């Protein structure tokens, strides 16, 4: 599986000769692909055979202080080094804005070549160094740099050469091609590191030739390679006989070989200008901030958007362990072909996937026969593709063939996603106790600790907060709301007043379930890309949301602004509240949507009810905003008559909400009375809602209840709606509007039921069944007492007993009881058999609480 048949351009032939010349000066290159088990094993073999004095690794040289932490026995991959630096905000010329934080990650898993280089190099007493540009300088030289991986391999994915080679080899993408050519070599081939790295160099160098020098310089590759070369030259100048192993991404190896070959005649010595630039770049590393952090397989997986390395880390970890087992067996003179280990690994992994699917109770969870079939398919595919045992793609193709029934459509997506998740994994690494954490993690932990949250373990706990009477509890609540706003899942709101939705507003206490877990740390670390302080990050997010609202133009919505206002108050970002109130004033004047204004009004009421909780400044009078909202909404009342049939429901809900808001206003300000304006607007709709019967019924009912029309007017409107020749659907819509707006009218005005009954008697079964759900919903608005009154009226009209209309069974015989017990046992048994008992118990527990 080498690459001898590929035609090499003269530049690469020359580079191979230069490589040979450099090897005589004891420079050993390991052009790797990040997170490759094959590369890791060849790096291991190289270091063990050469026993170098130095192992130099691609990675910012500002990371060198963290090498001891990486080598600590308590450190268990996956881990990562996270780097941060602050740069000027290029979009702000005032020089007054806060600098922008840029972050990057340098992850390690056990089978990362860099990890093995550090570990094995340390075992052989080599001096270990990272040699790449500091992160601060990488940001400066790459205008496109954002928060990213420091091991990016986008060039390999987009290389025209690799794309064409993949097609020629029958592979779907560069990942499958890499596995086909490199990962599936025998252990003997991987041990022969010279030929392996010869081939990986050709692979990466041919991909590099697809890119012009200007492109490489514009994104910083050229500058990084000069810096790495300077490190090598500096060592060689001081220690000419030093044996040096150089572990870098294969994309950079060509430049390093050519650059060092040009320095052979000068004995690798740096010129004074080169030395000055090299020293200046190293000094920039003082601006870097770097921490050793825990990392996880799911964040490492290339399929999850990670920019570097191999996909499916959980699977390749098993591949690495299989290589180590084969290595151990060979050292004990137990010689077994690589094929056997790969076949065993394949069967093990397929069985593991099947077991996980069974535990998660997938309907299509495979059994033994499916696993056997998947194994047979995978092994045959491996033979067909010329592989020494099944690889990742062989196993996935076998799984899809045996486990997925039919095409991979939406119905199968969840199952397939779970299968891919089994290959990805969720293992979280460990770092030594006492390791300094990134500022945001440390700050959050200290704040939570100061608020007396119990953080000693990962067990779930409940915090009960007296948010109205205890200021310290309010501060704790704001901290929890702040984390929730930033999508940090430290705590979950269980009960208590929800000011955003208006639910449970009568409760005095908040209850939160919380736990400090590795996932919380991971989320905080990811958030560290945005800054180093929680409130500053939240404020920036609020500003971004405000900016987005401003850019919406005519679609500006007052309800969106008031949500931002409430979120700022919930999190304790009171410095932003005055500006948001001014923005709200402007948006209320510009908002031309009746529904948005009414929603805004209700949220302002929630804000008013929680004013002591929010510590809202009295100068920012909420009542004044409510006055503006209602006046603007009255101005938009005509929208109710302009909507089409599909808008009836939303307008209906907004209309009832408007009435509720008008009714509540005297509680906020006893001197305020908006009812006359409200009923005046309802009167203006008279005769304009014939095409919207739901709204017409609601308006007539509300005007009647408000004393603006009498019985005769309402009766006339009802008779006209239900008159002979009228549209039955309009009649039903009108009736539902009346019932939902004022259900008590069905008792006070018997004519409604009489006319409805007469209309229903004229319908056939099909039409009745079609409208039955709407009718049931309409009658569900009645209270139990109103239901009883309705039953009495209907019973009188039908000359039957009221008791005959009830669904409640008042007499229960012994036979009925025994039958009920037997039925209960059957239901319980079926719940157990279908694995639903836990779900049922949780549901019942939730219902009882």
């Amino acid at each position: 599986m080498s690459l001898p048949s590929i035609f090499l351009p003269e530049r690469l032939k020359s580079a191979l000769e230069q490589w040979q010349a450099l090897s005589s000066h004891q420079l050993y290159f390991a052009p790797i692909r990040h997170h490759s088990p094959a590369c890791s094993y060849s790096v291991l073999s190289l270091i063990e055979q050469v026993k170098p004095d130095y192992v130099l690794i691609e990675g910012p040289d500002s990371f060198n202080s963290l090498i001891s932490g990486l080598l600590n026995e308590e450190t268990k991959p996956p881990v990562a080094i996270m780097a941060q630096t602050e740069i000027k905000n290029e979009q702000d010329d005032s020089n007054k804005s806060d600098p922008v934080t840029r972050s990057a990650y340098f992850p390690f898993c056990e089978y990362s070549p860099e990890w093995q280089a550090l570990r094995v190099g340390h075992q052989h007493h080599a001096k270990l160094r990272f040699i790449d540009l500091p992160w601060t300088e990488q940001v400066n030289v790459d205008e496109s740099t954002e928060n990213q991986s420091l091991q990016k391999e986008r060039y390999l994915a987009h290389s025209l050469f690799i794309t064409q080679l993949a097609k020629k080899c029958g592979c779907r993408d560069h990942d499958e091609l890499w596995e086909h050519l490199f990962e599936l070599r025998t252990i003997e081939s991987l041990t022969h590191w010279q030929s392996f790295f010869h081939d990986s160099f050709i692979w990466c160098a041919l991909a590099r030739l697809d890119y012009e020098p200007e492109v490489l310089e514009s994104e910083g590759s050229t500058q990084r390679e000069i810096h790495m070369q300077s490190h090598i030259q500096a060592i060689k100048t001081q220690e000419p006989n030093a044996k040096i192993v150089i572990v870098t991404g294969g994309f950079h190896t060509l430049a390093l070989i050519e650059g060092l070959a040009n320095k052979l005649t000068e004995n690798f010595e740096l010129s004074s200008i080169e030395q000055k630039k090299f020293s200046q770049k190293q000094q920039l590393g003082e601006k870097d901030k770097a921490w050793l952090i825990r990392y996880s397989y799911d964040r490492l997986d290339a399929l999850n958007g990670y920019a570097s390395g191999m996909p499916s880390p959980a699977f390749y970890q098993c591949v690495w362990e299989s290589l180590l087992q084969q290595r151990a067996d060979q050292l004990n003179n137990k010689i077994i072909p690589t094929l056997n280990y790969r076949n065993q690994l394949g069967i093990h992994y397929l069985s593991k996937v099947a077991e996980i699917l069974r535990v998660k109770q997938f309907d299509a969870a495979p059994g033994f026969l499916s696993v056997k079939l998947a194994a047979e398919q995978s092994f045959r595919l491996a033979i067909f593709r010329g592989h020494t045992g099944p690889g990742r793609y062989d196993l996935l193709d076998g799984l899809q063939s045996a486990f997925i029934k039919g095409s991979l459509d939406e119905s199968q997506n969840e199952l397939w996603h779970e299968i891919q998740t089994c290959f990805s994994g969720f293992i979280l690494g460990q770092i030594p106790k006492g390791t300094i954490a990134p500022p945001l993690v440390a700050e959050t932990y200290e704040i939570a600790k100061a608020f007396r949250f119990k953080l000693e373990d990962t067990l779930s706990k409940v915090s009960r907060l007296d948010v109205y009477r205890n200021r310290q509890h309010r501060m704790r609540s704001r901290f929890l709301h702040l984390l929730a706003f930033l999508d940090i899942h430290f705590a979950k709101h269980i009960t208590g007043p929800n000011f955003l939705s208006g639910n449970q507003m009568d409760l005095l206490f908040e209850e939160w379930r919380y736990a400090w877990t590795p996932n919380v740390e991971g989320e905080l670390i990811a958030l560290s890309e945005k800054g180093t302080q929680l409130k500053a990050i939240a404020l920036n997010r609020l500003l971004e949301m405000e900016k987005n609202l401003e850019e919406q133009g005519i679609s500006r919505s007052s309800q969106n602004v008031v949500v931002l206002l409430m979120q700022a108050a919930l999190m304790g970002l009171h410095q932003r509240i005055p500006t948001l109130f001014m923005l709200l004033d402007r948006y209320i004047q510009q908002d031309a949507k009746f529904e948005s204004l009414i929603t805004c009004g209700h949220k302002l009421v929630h804000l008013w009810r929680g004013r002591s909780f929010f510590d809202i400044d009295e100068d920012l009078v909420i009542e004044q905003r409510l006055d503006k909202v209602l006046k603007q909404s009255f101005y938009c009342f005509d929208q109710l008559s302009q909507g089409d049939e599909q808008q009836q429901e939303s307008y209906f809900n907004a209309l009832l909400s408007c009435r509720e808001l008008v009714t509540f206003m005297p509680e906020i300000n006893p001197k305020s009375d908006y009812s006359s304006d409200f009923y005046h607007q309802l009167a203006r709709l008279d005769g304009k809602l014939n095409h919207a019967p739901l709204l017409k019924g609601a308006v007539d009912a509300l005007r009647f209840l408000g004393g603006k029309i009498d019985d005769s007017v309402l009766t006339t409107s009802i008779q006209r709606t239900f008159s002979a020749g009228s549209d039955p659907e309009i009649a039903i819509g009108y009736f539902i509007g009346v019932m939902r707006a004022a259900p008590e009218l069905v008792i006070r005005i018997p004519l409604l039921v009489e006319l409805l009954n007469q209309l229903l008697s004229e319908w056939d079964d099909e039409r009745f069944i079609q409208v039955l759900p709407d009718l049931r919903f309409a009658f569900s608005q009645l209270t139990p007492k109103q239901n009883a009154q309705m039953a009495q009226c209907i019973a009188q009209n039908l000359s039957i007993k009221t008791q005959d209309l009830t669904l409640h069974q008042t007499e229960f015989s012994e036979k009925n009881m025994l039958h009920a017990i037997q039925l209960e046992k059957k239901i319980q048994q079926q719940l157990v058999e279908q694995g639903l008992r836990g779900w049922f118990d949780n549901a019942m527990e939730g219902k009882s609480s």
Side-chain angles (χ1 to χ4, degrees):
M1 285 191 187
S2 62
L3 303 174
S5 60
I6 295 179
F7 174 78
L8 297 182
E10 289 300 321
R11 182 180 173 184
L12 293 196
K13 291 180 181 179
S14 175
L16 289 172
E17 294 174 359
Q18 292 170 332
W19 187 351
Q20 189 66 31
L22 291 171
S23 66
S24 64
H25 290 265
Q26 302 191 87
L27 292 176
Y28 302 91
F29 295 91
I32 63 161
R33 184 170 183 200
H34 302 296
H35 316 311
S36 159
C39 288
S40 293
Y41 199 88
S42 289
V43 166
L44 182 154
S45 301
L46 165 60
I47 294 175
E48 284 189 337
Q49 181 175 335
V50 170
K51 295 180 176 55
D53 301 301
Y54 286 86
V55 175
L56 308 182
I57 301 169
E58 176 190 334
D61 51 22
S62 54
F63 291 177
N64 283 321
S65 60
L66 298 175
I67 289 178
S68 59
L70 290 167
L71 296 174
N72 192 296
E73 291 183 356
E74 295 181 24
T75 303
K76 306 294 181 186
V79 295
I81 295 174
M82 187 186 82
Q84 281 191 337
T85 189
E86 293 182 342
I87 62 172
K88 178 186 174 183
N89 189 344
E90 299 293 340
Q91 297 179 350
D92 192 334
D93 298 328
S94 66
N95 293 321
K96 295 181 180 180
S97 64
D98 294 332
V100 176
T101 300
R102 288 282 176 82
S103 303
Y105 298 92
F106 193 96
F108 302 86
C109 51
E110 188 179 345
Y111 58 85
S112 294
E114 299 90 344
W115 179 263
Q116 290 302 317
L118 288 169
R119 290 281 170 154
V120 181
H122 179 66
Q123 292 170 9
H124 287 81
H125 310 292
K127 296 175 184 178
L128 310 174
R129 300 282 189 276
F130 289 109
I131 60 172
D132 205 346
L133 274 178
W135 173 234
T136 298
E137 182 61 11
Q138 291 196 39
V139 171
N140 290 335
V141 299
D142 184 358
E143 296 180 358
S144 64
T145 299
E146 296 182 357
N147 304 322
Q148 58 173 281
S149 160
L150 283 168
Q151 300 167 330
K152 53 183 179 290
E153 292 180 334
R154 60 176 180 264
Y155 302 108
L156 302 182
H158 300 139
S159 164
L160 180 61
F161 156 71
I162 291 178
T163 300
Q164 294 298 324
L165 184 59
K167 290 180 179 179
K168 185 175 181 180
C169 294
C171 297
R172 282 156 282 199
D173 54 31
H174 73 289
D175 281 327
E176 184 178 10
L177 178 63
W178 172 268
E179 184 182 64
H180 175 70
L181 294 175
F182 294 97
E183 296 298 329
L184 294 174
R185 299 189 181 200
T186 64
I187 196 169
E188 292 78 15
S189 176
L190 299 179
T191 304
H192 194 267
W193 52 270
Q194 296 92 335
S195 62
F196 181 90
F197 287 132
H198 171 275
D199 288 352
S200 67
F201 169 74
I202 291 175
W203 158 283
C204 297
L206 285 170
R208 183 187 179 93
L209 295 183
D210 286 342
Y211 298 90
E212 296 81 5
E214 296 80 10
V215 174
L216 298 175
E217 184 172 0
S218 68
E219 55 79 49
S221 283
T222 302
Q223 296 89 325
R224 292 173 57 202
E225 290 153 0
I226 291 173
H227 193 73
M228 288 190 276
Q229 178 182 323
S230 297
H231 267 287
I232 301 167
Q233 288 181 240
I235 295 172
K236 268 299 183 181
T237 302
Q238 295 175 2
E239 302 179 51
N241 296 322
K243 291 186 287 186
I244 304 176
V245 169
I246 304 158
V247 182
T248 64
F251 190 82
H252 302 296
T253 306
L254 175 61
L256 292 177
I257 289 174
E258 292 176 334
L260 289 167
N262 290 334
K263 293 292 183 177
L264 269 175
T265 57
E266 303 170 18
N267 295 319
F268 302 108
E269 187 174 350
L270 288 165
S271 67
S272 58
I273 296 177
E274 290 171 336
Q275 181 63 55
K276 182 179 180 180
K277 288 183 178 179
F278 178 49
S279 299
Q280 289 174 343
K281 302 297 185 186
Q282 284 187 296
Q283 289 173 4
L284 286 171
E286 297 175 2
K287 297 183 179 181
D288 279 6
K289 299 174 183 178
W291 302 270
L292 180 61
I293 63 172
R294 293 188 286 182
Y295 217 65
S296 60
Y297 277 162
D298 58 307
R299 297 181 66 198
L300 189 66
D301 195 342
L303 295 178
N304 293 332
Y306 176 63
S308 309
M310 308 282 290
S312 303
F315 170 75
Y316 281 116
Q317 174 63 26
C318 291
V319 170
W320 175 249
E321 292 169 0
S322 178
L323 280 171
L324 294 184
Q325 181 61 54
Q326 188 175 1
R327 168 186 167 88
D329 289 343
Q330 288 184 348
L331 292 174
N332 292 322
N333 296 319
K334 185 180 178 181
I335 308 301
I336 301 174
T338 299
L339 175 65
N340 293 35
Y341 289 91
R342 295 247 172 85
N343 288 344
Q344 184 178 358
L345 170 63
I347 294 172
H348 162 75
Y349 219 85
L350 293 172
S351 301
K352 174 184 174 181
V353 171
E355 179 60 26
I356 291 173
L357 296 180
R358 280 196 293 270
V359 169
K360 295 196 173 183
Q361 299 180 348
F362 276 88
D363 294 336
F368 171 76
L369 290 178
S370 295
V371 175
K372 183 174 181 293
L373 177 60
E376 290 175 352
Q377 293 274 29
S378 301
F379 294 170
R380 289 173 180 173
L381 281 171
I383 294 171
F384 176 75
R385 293 166 177 169
H387 298 164
T388 308
R392 171 181 178 266
Y393 283 85
D394 300 320
L395 293 173
L396 284 172
D397 289 341
L399 281 166
Q400 182 173 342
S401 175
F403 288 10
I404 304 296
K405 308 303 180 185
S407 60
L408 192 58
D409 55 18
E410 292 184 5
S411 63
Q412 303 283 354
N413 274 344
E414 186 179 359
L415 176 61
W416 185 244
H417 175 74
E418 189 61 41
I419 289 173
Q420 290 182 312
T421 299
C422 294
F423 278 71
S424 175
F426 287 94
I427 290 178
L428 189 71
Q430 298 179 16
I431 57 176
K433 294 179 181 178
T435 300
I436 298 175
L440 191 64
V441 179
E443 180 205 47
T444 306
Y445 186 89
E446 290 304 318
I447 293 174
K449 191 175 179 180
F451 280 132
R452 299 184 179 179
F453 289 108
K454 298 178 181 179
L455 311 175
E456 295 80 13
D457 53 49
T458 59
L459 296 176
S460 180
K461 306 169 187 68
V462 174
S463 178
R464 196 164 186 260
L465 306 179
D466 187 354
V467 292
Y468 284 103
R469 296 174 294 187
N470 189 315
R471 179 169 178 79
Q472 184 67 8
H473 283 202
R474 281 203 297 277
M475 297 299 103
R476 295 177 76 182
S477 172
R478 288 172 185 173
F479 171 65
L480 296 178
H481 279 290
L482 174 63
L483 292 178
F485 176 73
L486 293 173
D487 298 318
I488 304 299
H489 295 89
F490 169 64
K492 181 179 181 181
H493 187 268
I494 304 173
T495 61
N498 188 324
F499 294 96
L500 287 172
S501 66
N503 296 329
Q504 299 182 328
M505 298 290 287
D506 55 329
L507 298 183
L508 296 177
F509 290 85
E510 281 185 351
E511 283 192 6
W512 295 76
R513 188 177 299 279
Y514 72 92
W516 185 272
T517 66
N519 285 336
V520 172
E521 288 188 18
E523 290 169 345
L524 286 168
I525 288 167
L527 189 64
S528 294
E529 299 175 355
K530 305 297 183 183
T532 58
Q533 293 184 320
L534 287 171
K535 284 195 173 182
I537 297 171
L539 189 59
N540 286 334
R541 184 173 290 188
L542 271 179
L543 291 171
E544 186 65 27
M545 294 168 75
E546 289 177 40
K547 180 181 176 182
N548 291 338
L549 288 178
E550 291 278 24
E551 291 174 351
Q552 289 177 6
I554 60 173
S555 62
R556 292 174 180 177
S557 167
S558 58
Q559 66 172 333
N560 291 334
V561 183
V562 78
V563 167
L564 290 185
L565 175 61
M566 296 179 77
Q567 286 175 324
L570 282 169
M571 295 183 287
L573 300 179
H574 285 67
Q575 69 269 39
R576 210 52 219 155
I577 291 179
T579 302
L580 285 167
F581 263 118
M582 289 189 291
L583 186 64
L584 177 62
D585 290 338
R586 192 164 77 249
Y587 270 43
I588 290 173
Q589 294 176 354
Q590 298 173 352
D591 199 340
K593 294 184 178 181
F594 180 72
E595 300 159 275
S596 171
L597 288 162
I598 297 304
T599 301
C600 173
H602 277 277
K603 291 192 181 300
L604 283 172
V605 170
H606 302 332
L607 196 64
W608 179 84
R609 292 180 66 180
R611 60 195 182 282
S612 61
F613 170 82
F614 291 121
D615 293 328
I616 295 293
D617 192 335
E618 288 298 325
D619 292 335
L620 302 170
V621 184
I622 297 174
E623 298 96 300
Q624 293 179 0
R625 273 78 189 187
L626 280 167
D627 177 74
K628 293 178 181 178
V629 164
L630 283 169
K631 288 180 178 178
Q632 182 71 5
S633 65
F634 292 155
Y635 176 78
C636 298
F637 239 83
D638 282 342
Q639 291 178 14
L640 299 179
S641 63
Q642 298 167 3
D644 56 27
E645 185 177 349
Q646 294 180 345
Q647 293 175 299
Q648 280 192 78
E649 181 66 27
S650 58
Y651 281 159
F652 174 87
N653 292 328
L655 177 62
L656 295 190
S657 295
C658 182
R659 181 206 183 198
E660 184 181 353
L661 191 60
V662 167
T663 305
F664 186 79
M665 282 302 295
E667 186 175 335
I668 298 178
N669 184 358
K671 297 180 181 180
S672 65
D673 183 10
Y674 298 90
S675 59
S676 59
D677 290 333
F678 174 71
Y679 287 111
H680 174 69
Q681 296 301 328
L682 291 182
R684 290 180 59 242
L685 294 174
D686 191 25
K688 299 180 180 179
L689 298 174
N690 294 329
H691 67 291
L694 181 70
L695 290 171
K696 180 174 173 54
V699 168
D700 285 353
L702 293 178
R703 293 180 67 197
F704 176 79
L705 290 179
K708 304 305 177 181
I709 58 175
D710 56 23
D711 289 24
S712 61
V713 175
L714 181 60
T715 301
T716 301
S717 182
I718 293 171
Q719 289 174 332
R720 185 183 303 116
T721 303
F722 283 87
S723 62
S726 62
D727 188 333
E729 292 187 5
I730 289 180
I732 291 297
Y734 181 88
F735 176 78
I736 293 172
V738 171
M739 286 290 292
R740 290 175 61 185
E744 63 270 29
L745 293 187
V746 79
I747 307 298
R748 292 175 57 178
I749 305 178
L751 178 64
L752 265 174
V753 176
E754 292 175 9
L755 291 174
L756 175 65
N757 193 40
Q758 180 180 341
L759 181 65
L760 294 179
S761 65
E762 300 172 359
W763 286 359
D764 56 23
D765 290 347
E766 183 178 354
R767 173 168 283 191
F768 174 74
I769 291 174
Q770 185 179 1
V771 79
L772 182 59
D774 290 330
L775 287 173
R776 293 184 65 178
F777 179 63
F779 279 103
S780 69
Q781 312 300 312
L782 296 175
T783 64
K785 183 178 180 180
Q786 290 169 342
N787 261 322
Q789 293 173 333
M790 173 65 68
Q792 188 174 5
C793 292
I794 294 176
Q796 289 176 354
N797 289 338
L798 299 178
S799 300
I800 59 176
K801 295 180 180 180
T802 305
Q803 185 177 346
D804 293 339
L805 292 177
T806 180
L807 295 177
H808 296 288
Q809 186 172 350
T810 55
E811 296 181 3
F812 207 73
S813 66
E814 182 180 356
K815 182 178 179 182
N816 295 139
M817 184 186 69
L818 292 174
H819 180 71
I821 293 174
Q822 188 177 14
L823 184 60
E824 170 74 9
K825 288 182 178 178
K826 288 183 178 181
I827 293 174
Q828 295 290 347
Q829 183 179 355
Q830 288 188 0
L831 287 173
V832 172
E833 291 175 353
Q834 297 177 15
L836 297 174
R837 182 58 188 264
W839 166 83
F840 179 77
D841 290 343
N842 292 335
M844 295 304 294
E845 181 181 350
K847 185 176 180 181
S848 62
S849 62

